[in-house]
């Protein structure tokens, strides 16, 4: 290969500089051009060369800083196609770029999410795809950041997968779920792309179709790896957990398997993918995870990307020659001119020009050789990749065969172990049989010897003749046992032969029979032993006397020896006593000396103890002073919160303030007791420190909650509460200061804290919401009275509806009669359902009272549960009031004096009232009560009947109202425009009126809650009681059928800017 030698200085001087700044500038310029060419608004796929340059740029700078610096400046919200290509390029950069790209993309998660949310709200085909693609990219980034073992390309070995999963089954379970979510995002994108394509034409050959299909190449690469990993993890989970626990995992995997298989099949049929990617084929059915050997049948899907021919790019000049001809054509023209007219004066080519031309020819030659080397390298790379793929397939096949061999090896090993166990069992049985035979022969020999001894005893002992009869009997029994033993031996021989034939099937029976035979042999041997003992007993009786005499002589000699030993021990003891007396006298002298020394040390210790006692007292007071200082800091912090602007947003309820104030008031007694105990004995400060700690926390909590409660209270009570809290804090701080000073400690008066705490407690009691103005002893009678009044009101409503129906039949006909009958019939059904609900509620109420009152009376039960009783009374009143209003509205509608909307509103009001009654009854009812189930069924019936009333009212309204047909045939363009403007004016007026009415509705509801909450109206004589709502003369209500007034518990502060205020329920 020719090399460039002797480059002219003129050429070298004209080369551009290669400093770091120039390289960086050139790199930024190249990246900007590639990004602008790859991400544009043209509906065409991203060119591979531009994406490749961007990816190489990430490896060059080891990150994606340059990419994002240009990407965030793109007008992505202006074009959905631009956003789609941006997601495609980002996906390729994440997969093939530098590993640091993942961390750089994490910083721009919000930008990706905003683009997806923006296009997700717009009705655009590409916008919908962009929304799904951004979710996939966010899921991909989160997964790989959480599991750094998996690169963004998702290509890891099985060993890395095993290491990432670990041995904890919980980690494996969680990793499988995350991969399922990852796969769902991938499949959702592919399904959305295919759903937008027109399958009737070859969309894969059109630029618009290719623009949508291009990102699916990365999706196919991701899905192939995710499928393989999920199969591995599922088999591992099934080896650790029972199959029933993983039923949900299997169902989800089967669903993803069929979706992925359909995706691969559809993509394989498209011409666009056939030249760009080799898509694997999945098996017909999913793997059987319940069979462990099925893992060996699994084949990893391998995706192959064929190498493309390098695209022609504009070559870059290795040497910049500014004086040379810019193109070939001018050079040809100059040569013709020189041939015709000759060279110009002074323009003869010198050596430098010839050298430049030689260098240019060498550059071209080198460039051609470089291209040839690149082509050869590409061909080698493709061949090597094919070999790698074939080797991977062979490796998978080898792994499969290895798995099968392991399974077969395990089976053979198991069978070998079973055979060894059977051989050992057979050998054990053979040994048992031989041992049984030996025992039988030994028994026979023993029996013969016993028989001989028995005959000798009969001949030698004549005095035992009277026992001959018994011995003869025993002998006959022995003979019978001998015959029985012989018979057993025959049976045993037969059984042994049978065992040899059927050793495997009758092993347990033989062992049982052998054990039985052993027991029988032992029993017979015992009987023979008893007979031998009876015969030898006479011989032993004579020898016993001689043995006893010998024993007495031996005992006499032993006693005499013991006496001599005792005398020697006595002499030794006397000498030992004398030695002890001498040692005792010496010990007394030494003790006297030690006593004197100890008395001196005791005096010294007493002086040290007095010093330590004083030091201990000082340390105890230091502990007390530290506790008082800490309590002072806590109280100071609580007092400072009263003036803290951030504390204005904190709120509290008067009930909680009362509980905190009462607890703080109770802790004052403990503080007084601890103070008195410390003054009596300063050695024990534990009681005072404990009481001081409790008091400081409770007092600070009371002050903070007092300030929070004042934020929801009226102005005057709030000011009084704040001032009382300040006074309480000031006295508490003064008390803490006295406890820190040893001279002022005896003069401290903890009892002074009672007055401000009682003031806070009283203000909290005053701010609590007031209940119904009824004495508790009257609640029982009032409940029965209200329920009876509600039933009477419903009965009266039913009668009035029947009267209205009869009157409507006489006064109307045709469509009006049909509408009125339908409305009144639905109202009658609703009243009957309400009457049944009230009766069931009364029964349930009696059951609650009987089961809950115990030995108390009914009135005492109602008084004890006053809040529940008040809610029940209020709900009963609401039902009666709603029924009366429904009847009045129905009467006005039938007489054409009212509005259908009033009837609809009354129906809704009745449904809400019955729901309140059911809720009030359900609070204290038993869950298994039959009355409660019937009450709930009646409530559902009331809701259905109320819905029927609304439906019949709306349908009747549509039948009666005249609908004018719109005829625009006689109108000109100007008249149509004029009527259009008038209609728009009317629409704006109606909208304004609607908004005003909504505001008015909000104010009415707010005033209703104010009156119900017992806050009072300015100017009343009793501000603690709510005044009755004003009642117009046009709307009359029957007795006891009035809108209930309940004191709600303030849970949330209402926003005055809202037109609708949230309803508040009563806690029973």
């Amino acid at each position: 290969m020719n090399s460039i030698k002797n480059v002219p200085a003129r050429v070298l001087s004209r080369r551009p500089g290669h400093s770091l700044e120039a390289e960086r500038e050139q790199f930024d310029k190249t990246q900007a051009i590639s990004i602008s060419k790859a991400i544009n608004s043209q509906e065409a796929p991203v060119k591979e060369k531009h994406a490749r340059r961007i990816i190489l740029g990430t490896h060059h700078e080891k990150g994606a800083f340059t990419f994002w610096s240009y990407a965030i400046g793109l007008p992505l919200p202006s074009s959905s196609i631009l956003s789609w290509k941006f997601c495609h390029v980002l996906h390729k950069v994440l997969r093939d770029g530098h590993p640091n790209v993942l961390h750089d993309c994490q910083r721009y998660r919000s930008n990706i999410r905003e683009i997806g949310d923006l296009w997700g709200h717009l009705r655009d085909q590409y916008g919908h795809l962009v929304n799904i693609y951004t979710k996939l990219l966010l899921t991909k980034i989160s997964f790989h950041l959480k599991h750094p073992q998996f690169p963004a390309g998702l290509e890891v070995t099985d060993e890395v997968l095993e290491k990432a999963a670990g041995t904890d089954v919980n980690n494996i379970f969680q990793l499988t779920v995350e991969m399922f979510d990852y796969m769902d995002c991938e499949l959702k994108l592919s399904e959305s792309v295919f759903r937008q394509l027109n399958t009737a034409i070859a969309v894969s050959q059109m630029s618009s179709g290719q623009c949508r299909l291009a990102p699916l190449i990365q999706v196919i690469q991701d899905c192939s790896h995710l499928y393989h990993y999920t199969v591995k993890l599922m088999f591992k989970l099934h080896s650790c957990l029972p199959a029933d626990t993983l039923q949900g995992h299997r169902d989800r995997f089967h669903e993803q398997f069929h979706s992925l298989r359909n995706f691969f099949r559809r993509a394989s049929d498209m011409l666009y993918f056939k030249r760009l990617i080799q898509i694997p084929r999945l098996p017909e059915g999913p793997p059987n995870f319940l069979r462990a050997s099925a893992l060996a049948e699994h084949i990893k899907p391998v995706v192959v990307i064929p190498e493309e021919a390098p695209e022609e790019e504009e070559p870059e000049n290795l040497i910049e020659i500014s004086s040379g001809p810019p193109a070939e054509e001018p050079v040809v023209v100059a040569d013709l001119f020189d041939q015709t007219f000759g060279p110009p004066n002074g323009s003869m080519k010198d050596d430098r020009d010839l050298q430049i031309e030689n260098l240019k020819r060498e550059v071209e030659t080198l460039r051609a050789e470089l291209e040839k080397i690149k082509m050869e390298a590409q061909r080698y790379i493709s061949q090597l990749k094919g070999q790698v793929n074939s080797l991977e397939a062979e490796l998978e096949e080898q792994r499969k065969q290895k798995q099968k061999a392991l399974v077969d090896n395990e089976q053979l090993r198991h069978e070998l172990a079973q055979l060894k166990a059977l051989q050992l069992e057979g050998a054990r049985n053979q040994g048992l049989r031989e041992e049984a035979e030996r025992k039988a022969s030994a028994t026979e020999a023993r029996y013969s010897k016993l028989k001989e001894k028995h005959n000798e005893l009969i001949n030698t002992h004549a005095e035992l003749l009277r026992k001959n009869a018994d011995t003869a009997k025993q002998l006959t029994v022995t003979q019978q046992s001998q015959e029985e033993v012989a018979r057993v031996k025959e049976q045993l021989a037969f059984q042994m032969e049978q065992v040899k034939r059927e050793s495997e099937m009758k092993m347990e029976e033989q062992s049982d029979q052998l054990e039985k035979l052993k027991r029988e042999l032992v029993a017979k041997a015992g009987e023979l032993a008893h007979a031998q003992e009876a015969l030898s007993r006479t011989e032993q009786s004579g020898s016993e006397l001689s043995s006893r005499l010998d024993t007495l002589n031996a005992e006499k000699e032993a006693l005499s020896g013991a006496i001599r030993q005792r005398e020697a021990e006595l002499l030794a003891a006397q000498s030992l006593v004398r030695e002890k007396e001498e040692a005792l006298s010496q010990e007394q002298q030494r003790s006297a000396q030690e006593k004197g020394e100890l008395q001196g040390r005791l005096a010294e210790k007493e002086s040290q103890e007095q010093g330590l006692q004083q030091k201990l007292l000082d340390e105890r007071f230091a502990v007390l002073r530290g506790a008082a200082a800490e309590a002072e800091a806590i109280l100071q912090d609580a007092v400072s919160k009263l003036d803290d602007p951030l504390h204005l947003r904190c709120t509290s309820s008067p009930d909680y303030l009362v509980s905190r104030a009462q607890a703080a008031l109770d802790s004052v007694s403990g503080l007084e007791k601890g103070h008195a105990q410390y003054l009596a004995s300063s050695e024990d400060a534990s009681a005072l420190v404990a009481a001081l700690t409790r008091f400081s926390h409770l007092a600070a909590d009371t002050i903070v909650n007092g300030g929070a409660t004042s934020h929801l209270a009226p102005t005057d009570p709030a000011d009084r509460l704040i001032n009382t809290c300040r006074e309480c804090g000031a006295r508490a701080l003064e008390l803490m200061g006295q406890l820190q000073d040893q001279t002022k400690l005896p003069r401290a008066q903890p009892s002074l804290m009672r007055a401000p705490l009682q003031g806070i407690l009283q203000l909290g009691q005053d701010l609590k919401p007031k209940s119904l103005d009824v004495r508790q002893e009257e609640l029982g009678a009032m409940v029965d009275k209200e329920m009876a009044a509600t039933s009477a009101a419903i009965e009266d409503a039913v009668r009035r509806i029947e009267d209205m129906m009869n009157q409507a039949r006489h006064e109307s006909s045709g469509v009006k009669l049909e509408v009125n009958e339908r409305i009144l019939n639905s109202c009658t059904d609703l009243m009957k359902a309400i009457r049944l609900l009230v009766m069931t509620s009364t029964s349930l109420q009696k059951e609650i009272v009987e089961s809950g009152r115990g030995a108390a009376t009914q009135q005492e039960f109602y008084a004890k549960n006053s809040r529940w009783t008040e809610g029940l009374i209020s709900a009963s009143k609401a039902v009666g009031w709603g029924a009366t209003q429904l009847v009045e509205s129905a009467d006005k509608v039938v007489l054409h004096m009212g509005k259908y909307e009033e009837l609809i509103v009354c129906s809704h009001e009745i449904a809400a009232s019955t729901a309140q009654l059911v809720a009030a009854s359900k609070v204290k009812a038993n869950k298994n009560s039959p009355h409660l189930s019937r009450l709930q069924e009646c409530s559902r019936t009331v809701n259905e009947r109320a819905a029927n009333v609304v439906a019949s009212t709306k349908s009747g309204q549509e039948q009666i109202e005249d609908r004018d047909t719109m005829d625009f045939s006689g109108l000109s363009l100007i008249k149509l425009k004029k009527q259009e403007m008038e209609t728009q004016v009317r629409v704006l007026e109606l909208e304004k009126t609607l908004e005003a009415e909504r505001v008015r509705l909000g104010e009415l509801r707010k005033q209703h809650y104010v009156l119900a909450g017992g806050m009072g109206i300015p100017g009343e004589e009793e501000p603690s009681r709510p005044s009755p709502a004003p009642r117009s003369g046009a709307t009359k209500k029957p007795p006891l059928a009035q809108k209930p007034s309940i004191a709600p518990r303030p849970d949330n502060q209402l926003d005055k800017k809202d037109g609708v205020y949230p309803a508040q329920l009563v806690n029973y």
Side-chain angles (χ1 to χ4, degrees), residues 726-750:
R726 294 184 190 278
E727 181 184 358
C728 179
R731 291 191 180 183
L733 291 174
E734 182 181 359
L735 177 62
M736 296 303 110
Q738 291 176 353
L739 293 178
Q740 294 181 46
D741 192 353
Q742 196 166 7
T743 58
K744 297 181 181 179
L745 179 63
R747 297 193 300 273
Q749 296 181 2

Side-chain angles (χ1 to χ4, degrees), residues 712-887:
L712 291 178
T715 304
D716 294 340
D719 294 340
R720 290 197 301 271
L721 182 58
I722 287 292
N723 294 332
T724 308
C725 291
R726 294 184 190 278
E727 181 184 358
C728 179
R731 291 191 180 183
L733 291 174
E734 182 181 359
L735 177 62
M736 296 303 110
Q738 291 176 353
L739 293 178
Q740 294 181 46
D741 192 353
Q742 196 166 7
T743 58
K744 297 181 181 179
L745 179 63
R747 297 193 300 273
Q749 296 181 2
S751 59
L752 296 178
M753 293 302 303
R754 294 184 182 274
L757 289 175
Q758 287 178 351
I760 295 175
L761 180 64
Q762 184 62 36
L763 289 174
Q765 293 285 358
D766 295 340
L767 289 174
K768 290 175 63 176
K770 305 301 184 296
S771 183
L772 292 176
D773 193 14
V774 180
R775 292 193 300 271
Q776 292 187 350
E777 57 269 14
E778 299 178 1
L779 288 175
M782 189 172 182
V783 170
D784 298 335
K785 182 178 178 183
E786 289 298 335
M787 296 300 289
T790 302
S791 301
I794 294 172
E795 293 289 345
D796 181 55
V798 172
R799 287 193 298 271
R800 289 182 61 187
I801 290 174
E802 292 178 355
D803 295 339
M804 285 188 288
M805 186 178 294
N806 295 330
Q807 182 179 359
R809 288 172 180 171
H810 290 294
E811 296 181 357
S812 59
S813 61
V815 177
K816 294 183 178 180
L817 177 60
E818 179 184 355
V819 170
N820 293 335
E821 285 183 348
R822 191 186 308 134
I823 294 175
L824 294 176
N825 286 332
S826 60
C827 292
T828 303
D829 295 339
L830 178 58
M831 288 299 130
K832 291 179 180 179
I834 294 174
R835 179 173 58 186
L836 181 59
L837 183 137
V838 172
M839 294 171 61
T840 308
S841 176
T842 304
S843 303
L844 179 61
Q845 171 197 343
K846 292 179 180 178
E847 179 184 351
I848 293 171
V849 174
E850 291 299 327
S851 62
R853 67 186 180 90
T857 62
Q858 184 175 356
Q859 283 75 17
E860 290 176 353
F861 176 79
Y862 283 126
K864 181 180 178 182
N865 303 276
S866 59
R867 294 291 293 172
W868 174 74
T869 307
E870 292 168 3
L872 198 63
I873 294 171
S874 175
S876 178
K877 284 184 178 182
V879 172
W881 179 79
T884 306
Q885 285 296 108
L886 180 68
V887 172

Side-chain angles (χ1 to χ4, degrees), residues 549-562:
L549 182 60
D550 296 337
T551 303
L552 289 174
N553 293 328
E555 288 180 356
K556 181 179 177 181
E557 293 178 358
L559 288 174
S560 61

Side-chain angles (χ1 to χ4, degrees), residues 31 151 240 261 440 494 542 697 733 737 842 859 920 943 948:
Q31 288 292 300
C240 302
R261 188 170 180 275
F494 176 75
H697 282 87
L733 291 174
T842 304
Q859 283 75 17
N943 291 332
N948 292 337

Side-chain angles (χ1 to χ4, degrees), residues 490-532:
E490 294 176 356
Q491 292 178 358
L492 181 60
F494 176 75
Q495 290 176 356
M496 287 171 65
E497 293 175 357
Q498 190 176 1
V499 166
K500 290 178 181 179
R501 292 192 304 267
E502 300 176 355
S503 60
E504 293 183 357
M505 299 176 58
K506 304 245 177 121
M507 193 69 65
E508 295 181 359
E509 295 179 1
Q510 288 178 0
S511 61
D512 294 336
Q513 291 175 359
L514 289 174
E515 292 293 330
K516 184 178 180 181
L517 179 59
K518 289 179 183 179
R519 289 193 297 270
E520 291 177 355
L521 292 174
V522 171
K524 297 303 179 182
E527 291 177 359
L528 294 175
H530 286 305
Q532 185 179 1

Side-chain angles (χ1 to χ4, degrees), residues 43 84 125-126 129 189-216 263 266-267 270 272-273:
E43 194 173 6
W84 173 251
Q125 291 186 349
Y126 275 103
L129 295 178
L189 178 62
S190 63
E191 291 172 359
S192 302
V193 171
F194 282 131
R195 196 180 300 116
Q196 289 190 9
L197 295 178
N198 185 5
T199 57
I201 60 176
V203 293
S204 62
Q205 299 302 316
M206 300 174 61
S207 60
S208 59
Q210 292 178 359
C211 184
R212 290 182 172 90
L213 292 173
L216 297 187
F263 169 42
R266 293 186 63 180
M270 290 189 173
Y272 175 70
F273 291 110

Side-chain angles (χ1 to χ4, degrees), residues 154-187:
L154 283 171
E155 187 172 356
V156 296
T157 60
D158 293 341
E159 290 77 10
V160 176
L161 178 63
E162 291 288 337
K163 184 178 180 181
T167 58
D168 190 0
V169 68
N170 295 320
N171 294 338
I172 302 173
F173 193 93
Q174 182 64 26
L175 181 60
T176 308
V177 172
E178 292 176 1
M179 285 196 174
F180 280 155
D181 297 339
Y182 199 165
M183 179 74 82
D184 283 338
C185 294
E186 301 276 1
L187 293 176

